[in-house]
């Protein structure tokens, strides 16, 4: 069954969340503390909760995203995890493999109750499974945010909001410089959150596979797509070291290493005539993983 959601959809979200018996997946860029708390009150306390969130410092400074909401979701159950995923714009909620909401609305009071939003509620298992697989592919581009990172972000949240408020009140250069300085402090924390404990081969490997899922690409086009998926890690303007591994100015070198790593493991192939990379096709007797 497919149902259109063309009005306030809080009740629909509560109904979907309350049906979850094993897992709830939440993918949404803007999260407010009160709405996250409300949603968690609708669900079982032992669910496997996976949240994909775009922890963007600009959204935090503008009070569109509460770090307290991130912490609440991370601690909502023993099986809860929040995954940092830059550039996330999708708004998706999935209960087990049986129901999903795909909507224009964030997890905020205005989106749930007041804004003119639109979405669909899916109860067809084949469609729900397809949406879930896509969200799981998105999730592999990021990493679980650890509690110490959330603490760092909470400590920065007040500074970000105060600095932004100062710009609103006055356009003085000093206020702008302070805001820029706080944003610079936030950037490596967020980049580190996306990497987590993974190697650069693992980080860029997932991004390469995601890019190639839509068809073969040349190395320059892979680099273009990966830089859009991971802008904080692929900034040519500065040095960035995470877990002893270089990103930033060195990201293209790390990307090429990841391509060769995938090739050695027969996950991707390279056609020297077309100069294109592609996902390997399983040979007879092999199972595609």
């Amino acid at each position: 069954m497919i149902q259109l959601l063309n009005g306030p959809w809080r009740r629909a979200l509560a109904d979907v969340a309350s049906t979850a018996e094993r897992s709830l997946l939440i993918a949404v860029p803007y999260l407010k503390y009160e709405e996250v708390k409300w949603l968690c009150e609708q669900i079982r306390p032992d669910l496997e909760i996976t949240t994909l969130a775009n922890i963007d410092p600009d959204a935090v400074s503008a009070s569109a995203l509460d770090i307290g909401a991130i912490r609440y979701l991370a601690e909502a159950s023993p099986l809860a995890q929040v995954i940092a995923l830059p550039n996330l714009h999708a708004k998706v909620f999935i209960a087990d493999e049986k129901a999903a909401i795909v909507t224009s609305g964030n997890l905020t009071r205005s989106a749930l109750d007041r804004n003119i939003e639109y979405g669909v509620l899916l109860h067809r298992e084949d469609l729900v499974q397809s949406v879930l697989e896509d969200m799981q592919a998105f999730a592999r581009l990021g990493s679980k945010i650890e509690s110490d990172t959330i603490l760092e972000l909470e400590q920065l949240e007040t500074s970000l909001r105060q600095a932004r408020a100062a710009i609103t009140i006055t356009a003085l250069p000093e206020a702008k410089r302070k805001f820029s300085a706080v944003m610079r402090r936030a950037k490596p924390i967020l980049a580190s959150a996306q990497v987590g404990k993974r190697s650069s081969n693992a980080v860029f490997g997932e991004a390469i596979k995601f890019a190639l899922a839509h068809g073969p690409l040349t190395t320059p086009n892979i680099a273009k797509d990966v830089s859009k998926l991971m802008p904080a890690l692929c900034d040519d303007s500065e040095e960035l070291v995470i877990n002893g591994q270089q990103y930033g100015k060195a990201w293209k070198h790390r990307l090429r290493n990841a391509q060769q790593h995938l090739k050695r493991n027969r996950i991707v192939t390279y056609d020297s005539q077309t100069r294109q990379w592609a996902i390997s096709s399983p040979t007879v007797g092999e199972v595609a993983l």
Side-chain angles (χ1 to χ4, degrees):
M1 181 184 75
I2 301 175
Q3 177 185 342
L4 300 180
L5 303 176
N6 60 357
W9 55 288
R10 182 185 289 269
R11 186 69 260 164
L13 178 57
D15 290 344
V16 167
S18 64
T19 65
E21 298 176 352
R22 298 183 307 280
S23 65
L24 181 68
L25 184 142
I26 301 165
V28 61
Y30 296 161
L31 297 149
K32 297 297 288 180
Y33 180 84
E34 290 300 329
E35 277 55 58
V36 163
K37 182 180 177 183
W38 165 82
L39 180 61
C40 290
E41 289 170 353
Q42 315 304 312
I43 62 178
R44 295 164 53 118
D46 57 347
L47 284 182
E48 179 182 345
I49 304 171
T50 300
T51 303
L52 311 185
N54 178 9
I55 307 180
D56 176 58
D58 196 52
V60 174
S61 70
S63 298
L65 172 65
D66 292 344
I67 300 302
I70 297 296
R71 175 178 288 282
Y72 201 100
L73 284 166
E75 298 174 351
S77 88
L79 299 176
Q81 61 175 342
V82 177
I83 295 173
L85 187 59
N87 287 351
L88 174 71
H89 198 257
K91 294 94 176 174
V92 178
F93 304 83
I94 307 174
D96 299 329
E97 294 86 32
K98 57 190 178 186
I101 290 177
V102 181
T103 175
S104 63
N106 288 288
L107 198 48
T108 65
R109 180 177 299 176
S110 57
L112 288 169
D113 301 324
R114 297 194 298 270
N115 290 353
I116 299 175
E117 307 284 1
Y118 203 85
V120 292
L121 168 57
L122 306 174
H123 282 289
R124 269 183 48 182
E125 289 191 9
D126 59 330
L127 293 178
V128 174
Q129 184 62 37
S130 293
V131 176
L132 179 60
E133 289 172 359
D134 286 340
M135 294 302 107
Q136 290 170 336
F138 289 167
R140 288 192 290 271
L141 294 172
S143 288
K144 177 182 176 181
I145 305 176
E146 302 296 338
S147 57
D148 56 345
T149 300
I150 295 175
L151 178 60
E152 286 185 276
L153 291 170
E154 283 183 319
Q155 293 170 344
L156 272 173
E157 183 176 46
T158 300
S159 298
L160 281 166
R161 292 182 178 178
Q162 288 177 344
R164 189 183 187 100
I167 292 177
T168 303
I169 296 170
T170 175
L172 291 176
E174 179 60 30
K176 293 180 180 180
R177 283 195 294 269
K178 184 175 180 179
F179 181 69
S180 296
V182 180
M183 292 287 278
R184 284 196 299 272
R185 284 169 51 201
K187 184 176 178 179
I189 297 174
L190 298 176
S192 179
Q194 187 177 11
V195 171
K197 299 178 181 178
R198 297 180 296 168
S199 67
S200 60
N201 278 344
V203 171
F204 284 124
E206 289 296 343
I208 291 167
K209 289 187 289 182
F210 188 89
L212 293 178
H214 303 289
L217 292 171
T218 62
T219 292
N221 283 332
I222 289 175
K224 183 178 179 181
D225 285 357
V226 170
S227 67
K228 292 178 181 177
L229 291 169
M230 301 177 165
L233 301 180
C234 304
D235 186 345
D236 293 308
S237 67
E238 58 185 81
E239 302 287 350
L240 180 62
V241 179
I242 302 172
N243 300 336
Q245 299 177 103
Q246 292 180 315
Y247 294 88
K249 291 181 178 180
W251 76 271
K252 288 182 180 177
H253 173 69
R254 294 292 183 185
L255 180 68
R256 289 191 293 271
N257 286 348
Q259 287 174 270
Q260 295 300 326
H261 178 77
L262 291 173
K263 182 182 176 184
R264 286 194 298 272
N265 286 278
R266 301 181 182 180
I267 297 171
V268 302
T269 59
Y270 178 69
D271 186 324
S272 59
Q273 292 186 327
T274 64
R275 297 184 177 181
Q276 289 186 322
W277 297 80
I279 298 292
S280 298
S281 299
T283 58
V284 176
E286 289 184 334
V287 178
L289 299 177

